[in-house]
Amino acid sequence: MTQTTTPTRATRRAAKPNGQWKVDGKTPLNANEEFKQADDGLNVRQRIEQVYSKQGFDSITKDDLHGRFRWWGLYTQRAQGIPGGKTASLEPHELEDKYFMLRVRIDGGALSTEQLRVIGEISTEFGRDTADFTDRQNIQLHWIDVVDVPEIWNRLEAVGLSTTEACGDVPRVILGSPVAGIAKDELIDPTPVIRDIAARYIGNPEFSNLPRKFKSAITGHPSQDVVHEINDIALVGVEHPELGVGYDLWVGGGLSAAPRLAERLGVFVSQERAAEVWEGVVSIFRDYGFRRLRNRARLKFLLADWGPEKFRQILQDEYLGYALPDGPPAPQPTEAGDHSGVHEQKDGNFYVGLTPLVGRVSGTILTRLAELAEAHGSQRLRATPHQKVVVLDLPGEQVESFIAGARELGLEANPGLLARSAIACTGIEFCKLAIVDTKDTAAGAVREIESRLADATGKLPKKLSLHVNGCPNSCARIQTADIGLKGQLITNDAGEQVSGFQVHLGGTLAGSEDGEASLGRTVRGLKVEADKIPDYVERVVQRYGESSQEGESFAAWAHRVDEEELV
């Protein structure tokens, strides 16, 4: 008689480790973890200053060039003239130029006019007059030669700016409310928390080797103006019925190819404890984050595995040493969080939100904007998480003159329906991952669509965001846009392969129009050629006007109707 036995745990195949330091140990499980453990990314600065800037691009080692340089805000840019069809088939060294994108880190988006002028001068002198406002409150320059990097750092640091940990597996720039400290309706000013975190933890070797990038956002404004649902950690201003004003804690948000909205932990965080709570969350990510597979190394995957209850418990027990009080959610915003247009500050002066179309500016424009602001009594600006810029502290009698001067620079205080919310990533012009052009495509489409809608007789949505991305990674947040376009090569009716986009519809973050955040829906087979974006948007907006219900936002309508309405 044959006896069957049930395999014991010891005889079963052991599950592969996830590379969690506190569970599996620190043995590197892939090439990225190996180079990070071999030498801290922060250490590459010394080699840039003493070796690479003197010996030139060809002297840079592979691990530094494609790895550690990011710890100081440097990525090689795409070589010019390589078509999108080659993106997936060529190796990084075959796609790259011998020039860099340089990302200037601007925590909270806070800039003085002096700092803006320095960035503008660096752009015109070293970056062929290139500059973009990003959707993470940074400014990016291109065409940077490694030979010039030490001098660029000297100029930035002389005015209190840096590129430290602007990229890499580190705590990236801390998003902050663009109207922190000046808005009349602000609940709490997050500026002290942002400064404390930046001073204590940015450039600190304790947190310079994370599983992947770590994104932070902090706001005390009721419009919830820092896209908190798509950050690894977010602190959102809220009033507790007994404890006063503080923050609601969110963790585990992120987009890319596997989007996931952040979740509330249900706790209340006081202003005094905000920085140490931030430290606790990033420490969990460092110690328990999945490191074996890069595509599962963001905090959102750990939160999905643990759930918010376990995450809260480990945060309290292992990292804080005390329990956080339960806290209420922040109320739904009642106004838009982009701060476009003219608004009165609590001191009686005004701030003006300006739109550079899809974030594209230049060093010349940045320098002239600094001069314009100063000529009208302002010395402070804020970049926004929407590729826009806000100029603060304008006296009331200077506002109209300032708006007219900004318009001459291509910066609009009263943008049209699409321009106000349009976002585009870098695209194939400079990005090695991109497949299609984005900046020019998006800007051209916005201008054409707004021209067509100017004479529209039907009902238009109050808000309509158009986000254009050059690849699946969603740097332009396509899953959270009313109309999100993901770049790819598609086959047209003539059988030709052309630049096009997969369409996402009805995505939104918390706002006055749409309530809770939701990811956009994709319609099977719905792809649009790049030069036919205006035709598609005009058509779908017309259908919204015909079939939307009273007060229904575009996002709500796009989720409600049948797919036939959306093609």
Side-chain angles (χ1 to χ4, degrees), residues 431-480:
C431 179
K432 294 177 293 183
L433 300 177
I435 302 166
V436 300
D437 173 82
T438 53
K439 291 288 189 184
D440 291 338
T441 297
V446 167
R447 294 189 186 100
E448 176 63 21
I449 295 163
E450 291 192 340
S451 175
R452 296 186 190 187
L453 295 182
D455 299 324
T457 57
K459 180 171 57 177
L460 295 177
K462 294 181 181 179
K463 174 186 76 71
L464 188 65
S465 55
L466 177 71
H467 294 187
V468 182
N469 213 75
C471 77
N473 286 330
S474 201
C475 294
R477 310 198 298 250
I478 54 172
Q479 299 99 330
T480 63

